[in-house]
Amino acid sequence: MNVQLDSTVTERLPAFSLGILQYSGVSVSDSPKMLQGRINYFVESLRLEHELSRLAEIEGIREWRAAFKKAGIDPSRYRPSSEALLRRLLQGNPFFWINSAVDVNNFFSVLHALPFGIYDRQQLTGDITCRLGRETDVYEGLNGREVHMEGKLLLADEQGAFGSPIVDSKRTCVTEQSRDLLQVVFFHEQLSAEKKDEIIGSVGRMFTEINGGELTHSAIASP
């Protein structure tokens, strides 16, 4: 499954890149108590360390807001998913448990303050392109709403748009029946090559530690 960046994105964000991880034979279930405990402990320390009023100053949040502006997206109207997750947690809301794959994905998104996407590869067709949305790019989001993606950063396969650093689609969501997954890390332009490699390495290790299966492919898609 090839993932490429379109010129509509690279013209505005020339140093933008994606971390790509593909897993086979995973076993998705409720998150184990060990993982829930670890994440809850992390959330508590996060609330001690950061104030909601200074959320935009957190490294990663700040850079992604700037990236949205460069791409022509209003970050106050359409928040990067990592910022939306952090905002909920700093407001005192509990971590939202879904399943072991999505929970690990969301944990890493909050940990690194980067948008992360996790998708069921069986629901994807052909190669994947990261581009800016067109008028016809509309899908049912995980939030239950119809999402209009024109002018927004998104991922699309041969069937159309399915994911973005804002909200992903129901079509490709990961369930307990999912076995083969695609994980995408949306890296902002300020991250070093070493940091990207470090993130991909730690994500792949922890993901398979929790969900089993095998990391069959990892790479960085860049211009």
Side-chain angles (χ1 to χ4, degrees):
M1 187 173 282
N2 187 36
V3 182
Q4 59 199 19
L5 304 184
D6 187 71
S7 60
T8 55
V9 173
T10 56
E11 281 168 9
R12 298 191 187 198
L13 301 170
F16 169 71
S17 60
L18 298 172
I20 309 296
L21 300 98
Q22 293 185 30
Y23 304 96
S24 292
V26 302
S27 180
V28 181
S29 62
D30 286 342
S31 280
K33 289 284 181 278
M34 173 273 296
L35 177 65
Q36 291 192 26
R38 184 173 171 183
I39 290 176
N40 282 332
Y41 177 78
F42 171 73
V43 169
E44 287 310 312
S45 59
L46 197 70
R47 288 177 182 144
L48 292 172
E49 194 180 335
H50 299 292
E51 294 173 36
L52 180 62
S53 61
R54 303 182 73 173
L55 175 65
E57 296 170 25
I58 295 173
E59 186 182 348
I61 302 298
R62 182 180 58 229
E63 285 78 5
W64 258 110
R65 287 180 73 87
F68 267 33
K69 284 179 185 169
K70 274 179 78 175
I73 306 161
D74 180 354
S76 300
R77 191 172 174 203
Y78 302 101
R79 290 195 178 105
S81 56
S82 44
E83 180 182 339
L85 272 171
L86 265 165
R87 184 176 290 275
R88 283 189 76 256
L89 295 173
L90 292 181
Q91 283 171 339
N93 293 298
F95 190 88
F96 198 56
W97 304 103
I98 297 170
N99 60 49
S100 55
V102 175
D103 296 345
V104 171
N105 193 67
N106 287 345
F107 166 67
F108 274 115
S109 180
V110 173
L111 177 66
H112 296 295
L114 296 170
F116 272 62
I118 188 85
Y119 312 101
D120 187 332
R121 271 170 41 208
Q122 299 304 314
Q123 308 306 320
L124 293 167
T125 310
D127 289 338
I128 289 160
T129 304
C130 179
R131 58 174 171 78
L132 289 182
R134 304 168 189 142
E135 192 181 345
T136 51
D137 290 317
V138 180
Y139 55 74
E140 186 182 358
L142 291 174
N143 55 12
R145 300 189 197 122
E146 190 175 72
V147 187
H148 292 257
M149 296 302 293
E150 184 177 7
K152 302 179 190 76
L153 200 58
L154 59 78
L155 301 171
D157 66 352
E158 287 177 6
Q159 297 179 62
F162 67 87
S164 83
I166 301 167
V167 63
D168 290 323
S169 72
K170 272 203 171 161
R171 165 165 75 94
T172 53
C173 74
V174 173
T175 68
E176 293 192 7
Q177 283 68 53
S178 304
R179 295 289 171 264
D180 303 321
L181 309 181
L182 169 71
Q183 189 172 32
V184 177
V185 189
F186 295 88
F187 291 128
H188 59 71
E189 294 186 290
Q190 275 66 49
L191 275 178
S192 66
E194 293 76 23
K195 186 64 180 172
K196 292 175 194 175
D197 288 340
E198 182 192 312
I199 290 171
I200 284 182
S202 65
V203 167
R205 279 191 301 277
M206 182 170 166
F207 197 90
T208 49
E209 193 182 297
I210 301 294
N211 295 286
E214 185 187 351
L215 175 62
T216 54
H217 174 78
S218 67
I220 292 172
S222 56

